[in-house]
Structures are given as structure tokens and as C-alpha cells.
Amino acid sequence: MRERRPGSRPALSEERIVRCAIELADAEGIDALSMRRIATELGSGTTSLYRHITGKDELIELMVDAVYGEQAPAEAPGSGGDWRTEMAGIAHGFRAALLRHPWLAQQASRRPALGPHVIERSDRALAAAGRATEDATTAAMMVSAVMTYVLGSATTELAELEAQRSTGMTEDEWRNSVGAYVQQVVDSGRYPHFNRRILEAEEPDAEARFTFGLECLLAGLAAAVERA
């Protein structure tokens, strides 16, 4: 085997291509991806990439699977049969992945990818739900409900982060900018429940809102299984 000269570039591989694509999508969005752009980033010819990956569609599938594989086991711990605890861990791990890689939410909303890491995570979630019910259809619907909640919640968080980037204002700064108008609404007395929300309710952070909603969902699923 020929030794690589000091300072020369690492050999091109599927793993390097996928990692470069993930970093590029994280920084600039999925629309920034092209085989030509990735080749430029890697200092390679575009044709060389096609020896490892057939095209952009396969590349995105590999990116999704690689991101699912990043999730550390600690984010989805085994729990000795406590399906709600394990499902909560899986949900928090999925949310973390979506926030680390904003482009993933759009891809996860489409037909499911079928890479080995994606299937492993799905199997793990189905195993957790299977400890709550022996019915495979019910277990699958439970997993779907939790994953749909995570995806929707994370998409809302990502939209707020994008708004902050595009406007240059944090959420608190935006609230201050509309404060005078909101005060007019409050002073009108026309919306008593809205007024109570503004005057009495605290503003929990995104993590607290997510956890509260997830706990409510899991409690509801548990009650539904018990009634079945």
C-alpha cells in the first residue's frame, strides 16, 4: 500500500463525503448541497465523488442515517422495562438531533429513510412501546404520535431560531418591540383570558415547554392503552 505523503489530503471515501455534506448543510442549509460544491470543499473532482455515491438523493439518505447514528445511547437509555422513561429519552434524543441539524426536520417529514441507524432507532422505539402493549398496530401508532410531536415541536423551535437570525432580534427583544401594542390590547379589556396569559403566566423556556408536552402525551398514551 502506498503511504500518503505528509500534508496530502486524506483519501476520498463515502464517510468523508457524507460528513462534509452534513457540515455544509448545517452551516448553509440543504439547498446549498451539490456534488460540485462538496467536491470543491474536499479538494476533489466531481467525478471522483460518483465512485462512492450515485448522486444527491443517495447522499441525503446517507446524511440522514449518519445523523441518526450520532445519537449517543445515553440520550435514549434503557430503563428496565419503564417504557415511558425510555420513550422520553428517545424523544429528547431526536429533538436534540433536529436542533443540531436544522435541515433534518424537512427530511424527516418525508417518507422514512431506511438506513441501518434509522431502522435501529425505530426498532428501539417500537421495543419501548411494545412494553406498554402487545398489539403491534397500537405500538406503531404510539411511536408515530411521539415522533410527530417531537418533529412539530422542534420545527417550531427552529422557526424561532430562524426568525432571530433573519431579524437580528432575540425572542425577548421581539416581545419588547411589540410591548406597546400588547399593552393596548390588555388595556382594552376585550380579551380577559389573553390578559391573564400576559399578566400572570410565566414564560417557560423551550426545553420546559417540550418536556411538559411530551409528559402529557405519554400520560395520554398510557391511559389509552389501559382503556383498550
Side-chain angles (χ1 to χ4, degrees):
M1 180 181 296
R2 186 176 64 181
E3 293 185 2
R4 183 164 58 87
R5 296 190 305 274
S8 62
R9 295 187 182 93
L12 200 61
S13 66
E14 177 183 292
E15 183 179 358
R16 282 193 68 215
I17 295 168
V18 171
R19 178 48 51 190
C20 176
I22 290 172
E23 292 174 356
L24 180 60
D26 288 350
E28 301 182 27
I30 201 77
D31 291 338
L33 282 185
S34 71
M35 299 299 275
R36 181 183 297 275
R37 174 70 186 280
I38 293 168
T40 299
E41 294 291 328
L42 292 174
S44 171
T46 305
T47 303
S48 298
L49 270 60
Y50 289 102
R51 297 172 186 164
H52 302 274
I53 294 175
T54 59
K56 187 174 178 180
D57 289 344
E58 182 189 11
L59 175 61
I60 291 175
E61 289 185 9
L62 291 170
M63 290 166 61
V64 170
D65 197 62
V67 166
Y68 273 76
E70 289 175 357
Q71 183 176 322
E75 293 178 318
S79 52
D82 183 354
W83 72 268
R84 286 172 63 173
T85 299
E86 185 161 6
M87 190 69 79
I90 292 169
H92 279 280
F94 185 34
R95 171 178 176 262
L98 291 166
L99 297 180
R100 282 195 302 268
H101 307 285
W103 54 269
L104 180 61
Q106 181 184 23
Q107 303 306 316
S109 300
R110 299 175 177 177
R111 288 183 177 178
L114 295 175
H117 291 119
V118 174
I119 293 175
E120 190 276 335
R121 294 299 171 184
S122 176
D123 189 73
R124 197 167 191 167
L126 288 167
R131 285 191 283 277
T133 176
E134 295 182 356
D135 184 78
T137 300
T138 301
M141 290 193 297
M142 291 169 67
V143 172
S144 178
V146 172
M147 295 302 104
T148 299
Y149 167 74
V150 177
L151 185 58
S153 178
T155 298
T156 300
E157 286 188 61
L158 290 168
E160 169 56 31
L161 292 173
E162 178 58 31
Q164 291 181 21
R165 282 191 291 268
S166 62
T167 64
M169 290 192 297
T170 66
E171 186 173 359
D172 287 341
E173 289 171 340
W174 175 80
R175 291 180 188 280
N176 289 335
S177 73
V178 298
Y181 169 72
V182 172
Q183 188 61 53
Q184 290 177 9
V185 174
V186 170
D187 291 343
S188 74
R190 297 176 59 188
Y191 310 102
H193 301 291
F194 177 82
N195 286 6
R196 187 180 180 195
R197 161 73 174 82
I198 295 298
L199 298 174
E200 299 180 27
E202 297 180 358
E203 288 294 341
D205 61 21
E207 176 77 23
R209 293 194 297 267
F210 175 81
T211 300
F212 175 79
L214 179 61
E215 289 175 350
C216 289
L217 173 58
L218 293 174
L221 291 174
V225 170
E226 290 177 1
R227 290 196 300 268

